[in-house]
Every structure is written in structure tokens, then in C-alpha cells.
């Protein structure tokens, strides 16, 4: 989970470790509630050696969290890229302090969503986790809510479900070669709406699956990744840090161990 032997300013370390905003943690230090190597400190701009110095906050040893993990409800119209162009990026939705360089490094996007796709987007500085979740070899499940252009009869829905379970053959698209998807699961909600769970995250996978079946996706929202579900309280464009439980739901499963 990254190197711990770097020097970090005390206020940055505390803010990164979940003790509130920069101004919250500065008040905490001024109240003499923070000790470094047993000595109460008054200055928040001193540098701490994460590997060696013992920081205690209000009687409790500091648990250094080097990496940050955010869940965002991505709205349509934002690109999953750090470079702006014709459209704003998902980083434009974040506070400056959250998207800037962090203790664990640059914030990266876990599994990009298309410009018009909405829903669960994970952003983290933890590159190892990012790789484990997105590598097609690890077969991490991701579930999407899909609305199709053409409504289907029950018999057609059954055909689609069987085709998805068997693995749909997708033709090449843009720079990507054709591929046969690993089998997934379809759950029908209405005549033109379903939930699709897939295991690879190939380029435009959901849209290409339904195009290969002779239909078209007109609305797409990711609602789950591994065992982590999008928080329904997050409005489009909102984001927040994952709780420890949510981080476990995202990481600690057979799928990626
Ligand atoms: N599959 C797609 O086709 N688009 C996405 O944004 C995500 C999965």
C-alpha cells in the first residue's frame, strides 16, 4: 500500500487521515491535543516522518492512511480523464484539496465510464488496487442498469439472457479488436430495462454486447463493483470517501484475492 518513510506536514497528514479539513486539524493542533513522540505540539507546519515518528491524537495513536478511496456518482456529460477537452472531466467535480496530489500519489480512475454513462465511479491513489480491480484477468463483477432502445418479448429476453450467459461475440470497434466476452448475467426489470453483470470491463463492453444482439443501449448506469453498491444518497456529481466497510466490500472478496 505504498511507502511510509516520507516526510509529511502534520496538518496534511491529519487531514489525509480523516481528522477533518485543514482548518479542523489546525484547531486540533492548537488545542494541544496532538503529541509527536510524546511531546504536545503547537505548530501544524512541522514535518513528520511517517515511518518513525509516533503521532497521538487525543490519546489515540494515529493510523496513517496513505491512500484515499472515493465513490462518485458520475453524471452524464463528464469524461473519465485527467485532461479536459470539449467536455469537463470528473475531476472538475471535485474540491481542489481532494483532487490534488495526495500522500499516496495521483488520484486515478478505477474503470472508466463513457461520456454518457452514469453511476458508480471509484477514484483512488492506490494503483495496486486499481490494477487488481480492472485487470480483465481478475474477473471482478460489475453490474449496470441498462435501458434499451427496443423493447423485448419474454422469448427474446430469454434469448438475450442465454446469449449473455454463453458469452457474446463482439465485433471490433474503434481501435479495439473483436472479442468473445466471458459469460455474464442478465436480470430483466421491464420490457426494455435490465441489470447486466459482466466480469471483464472490455472497451464499450455493455454497448457492444447489446449491439451484437441487435439492440442499442440508450441509458447506462453502473450500480455495483465487486460487492460495493452505489450509495443512493449520492446525487449525480457528488462524491465522498469510502467507509472501511465499503472499502472491504470493494476489495476483500474471493474475486480479486
Ligand atoms: N460499457 C460500456 O459500453 N460503457 C461504459 O461506460 C461502461 C461499460
Amino acid at each position: 500500500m505504498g511507502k511510509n518513510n516520507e516526510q509529511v506536514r502534520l496538518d496534511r497528514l491529519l487531514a489525509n487521515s480523516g481528522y477533518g479539513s485543514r482548518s479542523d486539524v489546525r484547531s486540533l493542533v492548537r488545542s494541544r491535543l496532538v503529541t509527536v513522540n510524546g511531546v504536545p505540539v503547537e505548530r501544524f507546519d512541522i514535518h513528520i516522518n511517517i515511518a518513525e515518528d509516533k503521532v497521538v491524537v487525543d490519546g489515540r495513536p494515529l493510523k496513517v492512511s496513505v491512500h484515499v478511496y472515493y465513490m462518485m456518482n458520475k453524471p452524464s456529460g463528464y469524461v473519465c480523464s485527467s485532461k479536459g477537452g470539449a467536455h469537463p472531466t470528473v475531476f472538475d467535480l471535485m474540491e481542489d484539496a481532494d483532487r490534488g496530489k495526495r500522500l499516496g500519489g495521483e488520484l486515478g480512475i478505477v474503470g472508466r465510464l463513457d461520456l454518457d454513462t452514469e453511476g458508480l465511479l471509484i477514484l483512488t491513489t492506490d494503483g495496486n488496487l486499481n490494477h487488481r480491480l480492472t485487470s480483465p484477468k481478475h474477473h471482478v463483477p460489475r453490474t449496470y442498469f441498462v435501458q434499451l432502445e427496443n423493447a423485448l418479448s419474454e422469448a427474446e429476453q430469454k434469448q438475450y439472457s442465454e446469449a449473455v450467459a454463453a458469452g457474446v461475440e463482439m465485433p471490433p470497434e474503434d481501435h479495439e479488436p473483436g472479442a468473445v466476452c466471458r459469460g455474464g448475467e442478465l436480470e430483466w426489470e421491464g420490457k426494455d430495462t435490465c441489470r447486466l453483470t459482466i466480469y471483464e470491463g472490455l472497451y464499450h463492453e455493455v454497448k457492444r454486447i447489446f449491439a451484437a444482439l441487435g439492440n442499442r443501449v440508450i441509458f447506462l448506469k453502473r450500480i455495483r463493483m465487486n460487492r460495493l453498491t452505489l450509495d443512493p444518497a449520492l446525487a449525480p456529481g457528488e462524491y465522498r470517501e469510502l467507509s472501511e466497510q465499503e472499502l472491504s466490500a470493494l476489495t476483500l472478496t474471493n474475486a480479486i484475492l
Side-chain angles (χ1 to χ4, degrees), residues 112-114 117 144 204-207 220:
R112 285 153 200 268
L113 294 174
D114 299 337
T117 303
Y144 294 84
H204 287 177
E205 189 169 352
V206 178
K207 291 174 184 165
L220 186 58

XYZ file of all heavy atoms in Angstrom, residues 112-114 117 144 204-207 220, ligand 1:
97
model
N -12.936 3.214 -16.363
C -13.569 4.405 -16.936
C -15.008 4.137 -17.354
O -15.346 3.017 -17.717
C -12.805 4.835 -18.179
C -11.518 5.504 -17.854
C -10.492 5.348 -18.952
N -9.195 5.588 -18.373
C -8.611 6.785 -18.349
N -9.170 7.815 -18.925
N -7.451 6.947 -17.753
N -15.800 5.184 -17.302
C -17.164 5.128 -17.843
C -17.210 6.082 -19.030
O -16.521 7.109 -19.034
C -18.180 5.557 -16.776
C -18.311 4.627 -15.563
C -19.249 5.243 -14.521
C -18.819 3.250 -15.966
N -18.038 5.771 -20.026
C -18.162 6.632 -21.202
C -18.749 7.990 -20.813
O -19.392 8.125 -19.762
C -19.102 5.998 -22.245
C -18.590 4.666 -22.733
O -17.379 4.421 -22.631
O -19.432 3.862 -23.210
N -22.284 7.674 -19.826
C -22.615 6.681 -18.790
C -22.598 7.353 -17.419
O -21.784 8.230 -17.162
C -21.612 5.514 -18.811
O -21.618 4.934 -20.111
C -21.972 4.447 -17.787
N -24.487 -3.204 -14.191
C -25.008 -1.990 -14.828
C -26.520 -2.070 -14.934
O -27.069 -3.145 -15.207
C -24.452 -1.855 -16.251
C -22.963 -1.633 -16.298
C -22.081 -2.712 -16.245
C -22.449 -0.348 -16.373
C -20.706 -2.504 -16.277
C -21.083 -0.132 -16.397
C -20.212 -1.206 -16.352
O -18.863 -1.003 -16.370
N -16.077 -0.462 -24.153
C -17.510 -0.303 -24.507
C -18.263 -1.631 -24.402
O -19.146 -1.914 -25.222
C -17.646 0.216 -25.957
C -17.270 1.657 -26.095
N -17.250 2.308 -27.296
C -16.917 2.595 -25.175
C -16.880 3.578 -27.126
N -16.677 3.763 -25.844
N -17.915 -2.409 -23.388
C -18.406 -3.796 -23.356
C -19.931 -3.898 -23.370
O -20.507 -4.687 -24.125
C -17.832 -4.531 -22.132
C -18.136 -6.016 -22.166
C -17.376 -6.813 -21.117
O -16.484 -6.246 -20.441
O -17.693 -8.006 -20.966
N -20.581 -3.095 -22.537
C -22.040 -3.234 -22.432
C -22.701 -2.840 -23.758
O -23.551 -3.561 -24.299
C -22.591 -2.379 -21.266
C -24.110 -2.486 -21.208
C -21.961 -2.798 -19.950
N -22.272 -1.700 -24.300
C -22.898 -1.233 -25.549
C -22.621 -2.219 -26.686
O -23.494 -2.468 -27.524
C -22.375 0.160 -25.909
C -22.872 1.232 -24.934
C -22.237 2.572 -25.219
C -22.665 3.604 -24.193
N -21.827 4.792 -24.207
N -27.248 4.106 -19.581
C -26.354 3.151 -18.913
C -25.851 3.745 -17.606
O -25.374 4.886 -17.576
C -25.171 2.843 -19.850
C -24.194 1.766 -19.400
C -24.909 0.435 -19.165
C -23.099 1.563 -20.457
N -19.682 -0.493 -21.017
C -19.942 0.490 -21.898
O -20.299 0.230 -23.037
N -19.806 1.775 -21.474
C -19.441 2.103 -20.214
O -19.351 3.293 -19.889
C -19.177 1.074 -19.307
C -19.313 -0.230 -19.735
